[in-house]
């Protein structure tokens, strides 16, 4: 590993922080499919995670093929630069991420939602929207990416590292869509070398609500 990486890991924050959902938030999650918590870690850890995030997207670390995608909207063999990118399972490359308060609290909140006896397969997913990029991620269900031969119960815990506002392109959700079936998805432009999936059936988005998350 580089000196930059070693120095970054040496200053990982160690302050403990406990977070939990209220009973109302748990109820809201099951009713709408999403909820929000005011704080899940410390400001110090958010600052540190920003640096980890920037390092992972910089290309300076050697990751497994396909783990870093600079632009999920186009073919893997024709990446046009930093637009809407992702890093899959960053904790595989930086195990220290599993020691963060964000990771610990995410697990605890997942057990609140799914049941404390739940066996969790916890994994990370970092997403980057480049500044001033106007590309829109198509409507989709995360479960559309998963193997349909298994019966899943899942919970995604997402934290912004910069304020996620309506103006900057925060996520939007359709309340109650978690209660329906997994809709038909397909590859963008019918091309399996494009990472992004899109819905292949019409949906009513008139009830969609933007969900800004300040930090």
């Amino acid at each position: 590993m580089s000196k930059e990486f070693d120095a970054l890991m040496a200053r990982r924050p160690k302050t403990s922080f406990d977070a939990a959902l209220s009973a109302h938030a748990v109820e809201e999650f099951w009713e709408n499919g999403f909820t929000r918590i005011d704080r899940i870690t410390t400001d110090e850890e958010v600052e540190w995670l920003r640096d980890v995030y920037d390092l992972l997207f910089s290309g300076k670390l050697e990751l497994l093929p396909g783990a870093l995608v600079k632009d999920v909207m186009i073919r893997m063999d024709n990446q046009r630069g930093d637009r809407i990118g992702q890093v899959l399972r960053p904790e595989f490359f930086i195990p220290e991420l599993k020691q963060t308060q964000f990771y610990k609290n995410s697990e605890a909140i997942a057990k609140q939602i799914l049941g404390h006896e739940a066996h969790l397969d916890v994994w990370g997913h970092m997403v980057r929207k480049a500044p001033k990029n106007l590309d829109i991620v198509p409507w989709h269900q995360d479960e559309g990416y998963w193997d349909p031969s298994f019966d899943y119960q899942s919970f995604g815990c997402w934290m912004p590292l910069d304020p996620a506002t309506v103006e900057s392109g925060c996520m939007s959700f359709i309340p109650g869509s978690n209660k329906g079936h997994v809709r038909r998805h397909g590859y963008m432009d019918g091309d399996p070398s494009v990472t992004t999936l899109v819905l292949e059936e019409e949906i009513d988005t008139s009830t969609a609500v933007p969900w800004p998350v300040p930090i």
Side-chain angles (χ1 to χ4, degrees), residues 47-63:
E47 291 290 341
W48 181 80
L49 284 169
R50 282 194 185 115
D51 292 337
V52 172
Y53 175 96
D54 287 343
L55 181 60
L56 281 163
F57 278 95
S58 71
K60 294 178 181 178
L61 296 182
E62 185 176 349
L63 308 181

Side-chain angles (χ1 to χ4, degrees), residues 166-182:
V166 173
E167 293 75 19
S168 67
C170 66
M171 286 198 288
S172 294
F173 302 93
I174 299 176
S177 57
N178 56 307
K179 298 177 181 179
H181 64 282
V182 181

Side-chain angles (χ1 to χ4, degrees), residues 94-115:
I94 303 181
E96 289 85 350
L97 288 170
K98 299 178 74 171
Q99 301 167 19
T100 61
Q101 300 306 298
F102 171 67
Y103 196 97
K104 180 200 74 173
N105 286 321
S106 297
E107 280 192 294
I109 290 171
K111 289 201 169 189
Q112 272 191 274
I113 293 290
L114 301 176

Side-chain angles (χ1 to χ4, degrees), residues 25-92:
V26 173
E27 182 180 346
E28 181 179 55
F29 176 84
W30 284 113
E31 179 64 25
N32 292 331
F34 55 93
T35 189
R36 181 165 49 202
I37 189 171
D38 289 335
R39 177 167 291 276
I40 196 170
T41 188
T42 65
D43 288 341
E44 183 186 16
E45 187 168 90
V46 170
E47 291 290 341
W48 181 80
L49 284 169
R50 282 194 185 115
D51 292 337
V52 172
Y53 175 96
D54 287 343
L55 181 60
L56 281 163
F57 278 95
S58 71
K60 294 178 181 178
L61 296 182
E62 185 176 349
L63 308 181
L64 293 176
L68 170 62
V69 181
K70 290 285 189 175
D71 191 340
V72 301
M73 308 286 278
I74 65 168
R75 292 175 57 92
M76 288 291 291
D77 60 358
N78 190 33
Q79 295 286 288
R80 61 186 175 186
D82 189 2
R83 301 292 289 268
I84 298 178
Q86 68 177 8
V87 174
L88 293 173
R89 295 188 179 267
E91 68 280 357
F92 181 85

